[in-house]
Amino acid sequence: MDRYASQLETLAHNGNLRRLPEMEPQGLYLVRDGVSMLNLSSNDYLGLADNVALKSEFLQTLNPQTCRFSSTSSRLLTGNYPAYTRLEKRLAQLYGAESALVFNSGYHANSGILPAVTNNRSLILADKLVHASIVDGIGLSKARCIRYRHNNYEQLERLVAENADQYERIFIVTESIFSMDGDESDLPRLVTLKRQYPQVYLYLDEAHAFGVRGELGLGCAEEQGVVGDIDFLVGTFGKAAASMGAFVICSETMKQYLVNTMRPLIFTTALPPVNLEWTLFIVNKICNMQKRREHLAQIGRRVREALNPLNGGIVSSSHIIPYVLGESERAVEVALRLQHEGFYLLPVRPPTVPRGTSRLRISLNAECSDSDIDRLITTLQHIQSSL
Ligand SMILES: *Cc1c(COP(=O)(O)O)cnc(C)c1O
């Protein structure tokens, strides 16, 4: 027991102790100890998670005779309700792709796909900043893995060229919008690289872009016209789509291969049908939310203008905007000051981000008004000048 307790003490000493926060989200706000704060820490990018009109409209489609709150088994047994087929068909149609496969979460998708599709004759080349769920998938796979420096395509191109003859398959793994820096990968450049080598596959995690980017909200690959060149396009429903679950867009052969080999798909209870119905309902709404996406893009530009120059070379280009503060204690202190000013922001510390780059992570919500953003920027400038 001592070891566990002393490890917690060390974490606390370094300002890195994590706790489960007690709080209650209410629409765009969040209430803690009776105090209401603007919630800038959720991933509810389109502001749909607590939209009463959408919830009411959806609830009217439900009927106690037919609606199910649990699937009570794996998809391979009796959990594969028709709602799965409807959702997967719709996703494949939206992307203009052969197939889509839905998972319980992005964590399930990312921890399961790479181990299923790689072997000891595979090489994974992953961006240094990919999400922990991808890192865990790499850890479970039998492939060799090299992490390339964040968005460093010269290094990546060199690694592909050097290793092309030595592996049966090479998987380039990246995110489109990165979780912690809010910057983006260069998809056309990655596609150009992939096209030079028949054995190279592209794996793209669009968790932060699904719902937010592209005319239909399908993500950065849609926005940049490269959907057809991505071998594994992963999106999640727990963020902008205000639901739960994830999907991959891929070929029909790959879908059937995953159904037969991917452990986090096979050995887990399927999503509740009611959840799949809600996801499909929301996905159909999101296709038409260009106005929300435009507003989010516009407030993003304003906050980036204020913060990007302060971040020592970390340059966001999205609705996720870090405020890099360095040591964890400083990030904790600034987060508390902002909370006191009515903005619910949390410190992001190692091991989530590299040591010395502790930060606040502002994730904007399309429900934020221009005056919310005015006040946020004024408050940030005030705090920055006092540091
Ligand atoms: C949130 C996130 C995930 C995990 O998705 P969940 O559905 O929350 O499990 C995966 N990848 C990235 C980049 C994420 O930000």
Side-chain angles (χ1 to χ4, degrees):
M1 198 60 215
D2 280 355
R3 180 164 74 78
Y4 305 125
S6 74
Q7 207 160 322
L8 287 172
E9 266 170 38
T10 307
L11 286 171
H13 181 76
N14 297 330
N16 287 332
L17 185 69
R18 295 160 187 241
R19 286 185 184 283
L20 294 171
E22 301 281 341
M23 43 90 224
E24 189 186 337
Q26 279 182 4
L28 186 55
Y29 294 84
L30 181 145
V31 182
R32 200 183 54 191
D33 302 329
V35 181
S36 177
M37 295 173 270
L38 190 70
N39 185 355
L40 295 174
S41 292
S42 86
N43 300 313
D44 183 16
Y45 304 132
L46 292 174
L48 306 179
D50 207 10
N51 183 305
V52 177
L54 282 178
K55 288 191 289 182
S56 312
E57 188 184 332
F58 175 70
L59 285 172
Q60 273 162 25
T61 68
L62 297 184
N63 166 357
Q65 297 297 323
T66 53
C67 105
R68 298 274 312 235
F69 297 103
S70 168
S71 67
T72 67
S73 102
S74 161
R75 289 187 72 178
L76 279 297
L77 299 173
T78 64
N80 196 38
Y81 281 79
Y84 266 114
T85 312
R86 284 199 292 275
L87 177 57
E88 288 174 347
K89 275 208 167 125
R90 179 65 175 144
L91 288 166
Q93 180 200 31
L94 283 168
Y95 281 90
E98 243 175 60
S99 296
L101 181 62
V102 167
F103 309 103
N104 290 20
S105 73
Y107 191 90
H108 285 74
N110 285 335
S111 62
I113 295 174
L114 285 172
V117 302
T118 57
N119 59 27
N120 60 10
R121 296 182 304 283
S122 314
L123 174 66
I124 297 171
L125 298 173
D127 189 285
K128 186 74 188 145
L129 293 191
V130 292
H131 191 262
S133 55
I134 296 176
V135 175
D136 289 359
I138 292 169
L140 290 167
S141 94
K142 296 197 168 58
R144 169 151 184 249
C145 175
I146 303 172
R147 308 282 295 274
Y148 60 92
R149 286 189 292 282
H150 180 49
N151 277 347
N152 188 324
Y153 300 118
E154 288 80 24
Q155 188 193 9
L156 176 62
E157 285 157 5
R158 196 165 1 96
L159 286 169
V160 173
E162 283 169 12
N163 290 287
D165 297 336
Q166 295 167 46
Y167 292 90
E168 198 176 274
R169 290 188 180 82
I170 296 179
F171 295 82
I172 297 174
V173 182
T174 186
E175 294 174 26
S176 56
I177 296 177
F178 284 85
S179 312
M180 291 302 147
D181 288 5
D183 58 352
E184 291 169 51
S185 51
D186 182 345
L187 298 183
R189 184 154 177 186
L190 290 170
V191 165
T192 304
L193 173 59
K194 169 218 146 97
R195 282 184 175 173
Q196 293 167 28
Y197 299 89
Q199 70 275 47
V200 170
Y201 293 74
L202 271 184
Y203 184 112
L204 181 66
D205 184 338
E206 296 248 42
H208 300 286
F210 182 70
V212 170
R213 291 295 186 86
E215 180 63 17
L216 299 175
L218 303 177
C220 294
E222 184 210 350
E223 183 181 54
Q224 294 172 43
V226 298
V227 168
D229 286 296
I230 312 294
D231 301 286
F232 302 88
L233 190 161
V234 172
T236 66
F237 299 128
K239 290 174 172 136
S243 183
M244 186 67 207
F247 64 90
V248 65
I249 299 296
C250 59
S251 69
E252 176 62 19
T253 304
M254 186 52 72
K255 173 175 175 170
Q256 296 312 327
Y257 181 80
L258 291 171
V259 165
N260 281 273
T261 55
M262 185 176 151
R263 298 172 67 86
L265 176 85
I266 301 169
F267 298 107
T268 192
T269 300
L271 285 167
V274 71
N275 168 265
L276 296 161
E277 302 280 5
W278 166 249
T279 300
L280 179 56
F281 173 87
I282 286 281
V283 165
N284 282 328
K285 298 284 182 191
I286 281 180
C287 295
N288 299 313
M289 290 189 176
Q290 287 82 7
K291 282 259 155 55
R292 270 178 199 262
R293 284 189 274 281
E294 275 164 30
H295 179 65
L296 184 63
Q298 186 244 325
I299 59 179
R301 278 191 289 274
R302 293 191 55 206
V303 177
R304 288 199 301 274
E305 225 166 82
L307 285 181
N308 273 347
L310 308 177
N311 285 340
I314 293 177
V315 183
S316 161
S317 56
S318 69
H319 57 292
I320 299 170
I321 303 141
Y323 179 18
V324 179
L325 290 153
E327 292 311 309
S328 296
E329 288 88 345
R330 193 150 102 135
V332 170
E333 179 208 316
V334 173
L336 288 175
R337 284 177 68 182
L338 277 152
Q339 289 174 19
H340 187 74
E341 297 290 335
F343 299 100
Y344 191 68
L345 283 165
L346 294 169
V348 182
R349 297 164 278 179
T352 310
V353 293
R355 203 156 288 288
T357 70
S358 286
R359 64 191 69 183
L360 308 186
R361 173 183 181 272
I362 299 176
S363 39
L364 293 173
N365 179 317
E367 286 282 312
C368 290
S369 66
D370 288 319
S371 65
D372 289 330
I373 299 302
D374 291 340
R375 212 172 71 75
L376 173 66
I377 290 173
T378 313
T379 308
L380 286 167
Q381 284 167 344
H382 182 74
I383 287 180
Q384 173 70 18
S385 66
S386 74
L387 286 179

